[in-house]
Amino acid sequence: MSLLLALLLDALLGEPPSRLHPVVWMGRYLAWAWKRVRGFGSGAFYWALGALLFALPAFLLDLLLRPWAWGWVLLGLFLKPLFSLRMLLGEVLGVERALTEGLEAGRRRLARIVSRRTEDLSEEEVREAALESLAENLSDSLVAPLLYYALFGLGGAALYRYANTADAMWGYPEHGARGAFAARADDLLNLIPARLAGLLLCPPRLWGRLWQEARKTPSPNAGFPMAALALRLGVRLRKRGAYALNPLAPSPLPGHLRKGVWLVGGLGYGAGLFLALCLGGGR
């Protein structure tokens, strides 16, 4: 019931205000700690300190609320900020709407959801990057936190969301040893969710190709959902100078971006509902 409530809140209301959002609090801690990180050891220490600060209270809160008859209501309220699908879908649609105003507007809107440089991307590359972000974040923003909630409760979801936020802020290759622990922790926690998201997106008849295409990306995980979406939509997704997924297919058109949003939205909420029903049936 807590998972169903959280999914309903996400679909109807989206994100809570920033002042109440735990991921915003995580980002503030990580920004404070980054100034004190000097190498791999201190990076691991401050990462672990933050994990303790955010995950331990969530674990204790879960233990406190589960025995209570109406505890599922509060668990659902606390779970909702730890995943986000509605915001992801809206941001990707926003890129397509911005492209109708001009390429520069599309590039600026894309910069809100990707870390790569967008100033010199073509219209095709803007759509490709938006679809890549849509696919990767299906895993990061929904499948992974819900999976860890199902396995370890509220603390598991909080720990994953913290690790993913730390990787987004610290885990750039140019940060070297300072951000290496955060990057490796995120890679480890995403090993299973990324592959589940890939299998969810990709038609079974193309699973063999999925494994081949996914290996082309530098990331051990991101290639799976991105390659799956490329194969599902029949389009090419590429990052200049790095990789091309489903390279013989055409670049995406405006309709592909909208189709991708509907597909990810339907599969995402459907998978969450299925997981909630499985948990309920298990009890």
Side-chain angles (χ1 to χ4, degrees), residues 23-98:
V23 178
V24 175
W25 304 342
M26 293 173 186
R28 289 172 180 166
Y29 164 79
L30 289 163
W32 170 86
W34 183 245
K35 300 172 184 177
R36 291 154 178 81
V37 174
R38 297 292 178 264
F40 183 85
S42 58
F45 171 79
Y46 282 106
W47 186 98
L49 178 60
L52 187 67
L53 289 173
F54 291 104
L56 182 59
F59 274 112
L60 296 176
L61 190 61
D62 192 290
L63 290 174
L64 178 66
L65 292 176
R66 280 186 187 270
W68 182 37
W70 291 96
W72 63 269
V73 176
L74 290 177
L75 280 173
L77 291 173
F78 287 125
L79 172 62
K80 163 58 206 90
L82 300 176
F83 74 92
S84 178
L85 184 56
R86 174 174 169 165
M87 184 175 72
L88 168 65
L89 302 177
E91 287 292 331
V92 175
L93 277 179
V95 173
E96 186 58 52
R97 284 194 294 266

Side-chain angles (χ1 to χ4, degrees), residues 186-209:
D186 183 71
D187 286 345
L188 179 62
L189 289 173
N190 276 305
L191 281 173
I192 295 176
R195 284 151 182 81
L196 288 177
L199 294 176
L200 182 67
L201 282 170
C202 188
R205 61 184 174 81
L206 296 176
W207 282 356
R209 285 195 61 195

Side-chain angles (χ1 to χ4, degrees), residues 20-279:
L20 301 176
H21 208 304
V23 178
V24 175
W25 304 342
M26 293 173 186
R28 289 172 180 166
Y29 164 79
L30 289 163
W32 170 86
W34 183 245
K35 300 172 184 177
R36 291 154 178 81
V37 174
R38 297 292 178 264
F40 183 85
S42 58
F45 171 79
Y46 282 106
W47 186 98
L49 178 60
L52 187 67
L53 289 173
F54 291 104
L56 182 59
F59 274 112
L60 296 176
L61 190 61
D62 192 290
L63 290 174
L64 178 66
L65 292 176
R66 280 186 187 270
W68 182 37
W70 291 96
W72 63 269
V73 176
L74 290 177
L75 280 173
L77 291 173
F78 287 125
L79 172 62
K80 163 58 206 90
L82 300 176
F83 74 92
S84 178
L85 184 56
R86 174 174 169 165
M87 184 175 72
L88 168 65
L89 302 177
E91 287 292 331
V92 175
L93 277 179
V95 173
E96 186 58 52
R97 284 194 294 266
L99 280 172
T100 64
E101 303 170 9
L103 180 55
E104 285 302 320
R107 289 167 174 168
R108 288 194 300 270
R109 189 62 188 256
L110 177 67
R112 293 167 48 158
I113 59 173
V114 300
S115 58
R116 72 185 69 174
R117 288 175 54 87
T118 63
E119 295 87 350
D120 61 343
L121 296 183
S122 67
E123 185 172 328
E124 290 181 344
E125 289 174 313
V126 168
R127 287 197 178 95
E128 291 171 9
L131 284 172
E132 288 179 355
S133 181
L134 177 66
E136 185 177 2
N137 280 288
L138 173 63
S139 175
D140 292 356
S141 297
L142 184 81
V143 173
L146 295 192
L147 176 64
Y148 284 109
Y149 179 70
L151 293 175
F152 305 111
L154 193 63
L159 178 61
Y160 173 79
R161 178 50 58 206
Y162 169 77
N164 189 246
T165 305
D167 177 62
M169 296 181 67
W170 293 8
Y172 295 102
E174 56 266 30
H175 288 167
R178 297 175 69 201
F181 187 89
R184 298 291 80 78
D186 183 71
D187 286 345
L188 179 62
L189 289 173
N190 276 305
L191 281 173
I192 295 176
R195 284 151 182 81
L196 288 177
L199 294 176
L200 182 67
L201 282 170
C202 188
R205 61 184 174 81
L206 296 176
W207 282 356
R209 285 195 61 195
L210 170 62
W211 250 253
Q212 297 172 3
E213 295 294 325
R215 296 194 187 101
K216 295 179 179 179
T217 63
S219 167
N221 299 315
F224 284 90
M226 293 193 304
L229 187 60
L231 293 170
R232 182 67 174 262
L233 296 179
V235 298
R236 175 185 61 197
L237 299 180
R238 57 186 164 156
K239 183 177 182 180
R240 194 185 301 176
Y243 57 80
L245 305 175
N246 200 20
L248 299 181
S251 292
L253 300 172
H256 289 115
L257 214 59
R258 289 189 287 268
K259 183 179 179 181
V261 167
W262 280 103
L263 175 67
V264 168
L267 289 175
Y269 285 121
L273 177 60
F274 177 76
L275 180 60
L277 294 175
C278 288
L279 291 173

